[in-house]
Amino acid sequence: MLLEKLNTEGGDLDMTVGTKMQQTIASCESTLANLHSFSLETQDQNAKQMFQNMAQQQQTVLDNLNARLQYMQSEEPQYKQQ
């Protein structure tokens, strides 16, 4: 069966790869939003540039995760809408 299970650290809960991927994407989106906010809120130009660079890197990570999720959903119907 291709539906994999991941154990959480406590070992009490099983999460499917699809669910874990969706949670990771949501976390990534939140981080990206925070980085954009930090960039807008700071007056320090060096910090602003740092946050902008980090946001670009985070966007790349997010794009890659979304691409992987789409692939998983196209290859494995059980990953859709978990």
Side-chain angles (χ1 to χ4, degrees), residues 27-76:
S27 178
C28 244
E29 290 170 340
S30 176
T31 299
L32 181 59
N34 285 336
L35 290 169
H36 283 302
S37 292
F38 296 152
S39 173
L40 293 172
E41 292 169 2
T42 187
Q43 299 301 315
D44 181 329
Q45 291 304 308
N46 289 331
K48 184 179 292 288
Q49 185 62 49
M50 178 190 69
F51 289 128
Q52 289 170 346
N53 290 341
M54 292 169 63
Q56 288 174 347
Q57 293 171 1
Q58 187 71 9
Q59 183 64 57
T60 299
V61 170
L62 182 57
D63 292 344
N64 289 333
L65 288 170
N66 276 312
R68 179 62 185 160
L69 181 61
Q70 287 177 354
Y71 173 79
M72 288 168 54
Q73 289 174 337
S74 70
E75 293 296 312
E76 301 293 334

